[in-house]
Amino acid sequence: MTIKKGAAGVFSLLISLIVIMGTGACSPAEDSSTTSSEGQVPDADAIDLIIEGEYIVTMDEGGNVIRDGAVAVDGGLIIDIGTASEINSRYNAKGRLPGENRIVMPGLINGHSHAAMTLLRGVADDLALMDWLNNYIFPAEVEFVDAEFVRIGTELACWEMIRGGTTTFVDMYYYPDVVAQVVESCGLRAFVSATVIDQRSPDAEDAADSIEKGLAFIKNWKDRNNRITPIFGPHANYTLNAEQLKATRAAANDAGVPISIHMSESPFELEYSKQTFGMTSIELFESIGFLDGPTIGAHVVWPTEEEIKILADRRVGVIHNPTSNMKIASGISPVTDMLRAGVLVGLGTDGAASNNDLDMWEEMRLAALLQKVDKMDPEVMSATTVLNMATSGGAEAIGLRDKVGALEIGLRADIIQVSFDDVHFVPTYDVISHLVYVADEQDVASVTVDGKLLMREGEFLTIDTNRVRREATALAGRIQAALAERNQ
Ligand SMILES: [Zn+2]
């Protein structure tokens, strides 16, 4: 038996952790039947699933990596972790995912997305944020986004996220009821925001209307499905005034839900905030009590030193979106400074209109490379730090670390297998290095959320991908035709 500590290669014992009670959740892939192990007939005591791997990258506090290991899953929970021989001697399982050439790790956490914007992928590129938003995205959304658009776009996003090993995402878009329904059926875990914005949007007239509709959505979905957390998503401090921001916080606190908001994203926002409020964004949020409750801040590219202290003190979860920040030229977020100051930092893709995909492997790689070249120091951000931001640290940033983010006994079974069959994994000296600097979406072999299989060896078990491709292509055709007519 080999239990190896992280990339450092120090041997230590894996410590079993607390067992939290929980129940398996609803809908998808009740059929978790997989390759049965030789000669074993599942019995009444059989657990749901055993997931094996040549490496089990736990992302637990000790950074333990288990060679030739396995994770035992039952009732939606991780009930045991150890070497494959230990786990197989202790349990009989109804389903089994074999571990040859497989790395097992926690599912990735995409802390900031606008899922349905997959349908606007590539519709307007190479533009500055405010030009892009005001002249392309907002008008296109008012014209084209309805419940059907959101359903198809979110299904497309869920397909892509499952393909790439993302198991939890924090979404901000319109028609949150529809987003939640898609998440419920595709089997992922998500924070689904009711967007609050003070302009006519696809699903509301103004800020007050969007708060009212948001409250109805939250009431409808709170405590309904353990995978789905309804939250408020006030857009930003340049699309809402101080009173509206305060009203959103009050509504979120009354409903007992977190907030996700764009925060200190661009030079435009910095200037706007100073001119309108006489202070920068995070100072404003602090001064009006907006941070008095769980807050997820997307981007945070331009915080001052003082604001970084506020983020750490208030335990704001900062979501770094390197691709979007680079593509829109928003700037380089001082991620290493924030981490040093104790800020909780996760990673996100932002929407597919500013990325243009939902590939968390690419975000990990870019997060590391961008900090290195910004600081002109290759040691400033390690592969382990980045992998942590996409898993355990990301879970902490969004307030879900008691449920997911690591392979630990008692956590929900959100687990992926990454294949290292592909040539770019040869040779494998350091598995953590490969996960950050080599792996991509196509290397993910299986995805399990809440103990239910969503993808097995590249086969999608909860999404009719042919139908989604057909519907997305047809809808995009209508958008393209309308845009061509408008631009004539
Ligand atoms: Zn965004």
Side-chain angles (χ1 to χ4, degrees), residues 183-196:
V183 172
E184 185 160 64
S185 76
C186 81
L188 285 170
R189 188 181 305 284
F191 281 15
V192 180
S193 300
T195 294
V196 178

Side-chain angles (χ1 to χ4, degrees), residues 10 21 34 69 71 76 298 312 321 354 399 416 443 447 469:
V10 180
M21 294 306 291
T34 51
V71 181
N321 300 260
S354 64
I416 63 174
D443 295 313
V447 175
R469 182 190 297 276

Side-chain angles (χ1 to χ4, degrees), residues 139-162:
E141 286 180 337
V142 167
E143 193 169 346
F144 301 115
V145 175
D146 56 14
E148 185 71 350
F149 177 105
V150 172
R151 177 185 65 77
I152 297 169
T154 307
E155 281 190 295
L156 188 59
C158 289
W159 172 10
E160 185 178 349
M161 286 191 277
I162 293 169

Side-chain angles (χ1 to χ4, degrees), residues 262-278:
H262 295 106
M263 188 181 280
S264 197
E265 178 175 0
S266 65
F268 161 82
E269 180 184 327
L270 196 62
E271 268 318 297
Y272 177 91
S273 190
K274 280 186 201 159
Q275 279 181 15
T276 310
F277 305 109

Side-chain angles (χ1 to χ4, degrees), residues 7 14 68 128 179 348 359 418:
L14 181 72
D68 298 320
V179 176
D359 184 349
V418 179

Side-chain angles (χ1 to χ4, degrees), residues 112-114 117 132 172 235 262 265 298-299 321 324 350-351 354:
H112 181 64
S113 70
H114 310 278
M117 290 183 90
W132 178 77
M172 183 196 287
H235 179 265
H262 295 106
E265 178 175 0
H299 299 289
N321 300 260
S324 174
D350 210 355
S354 64

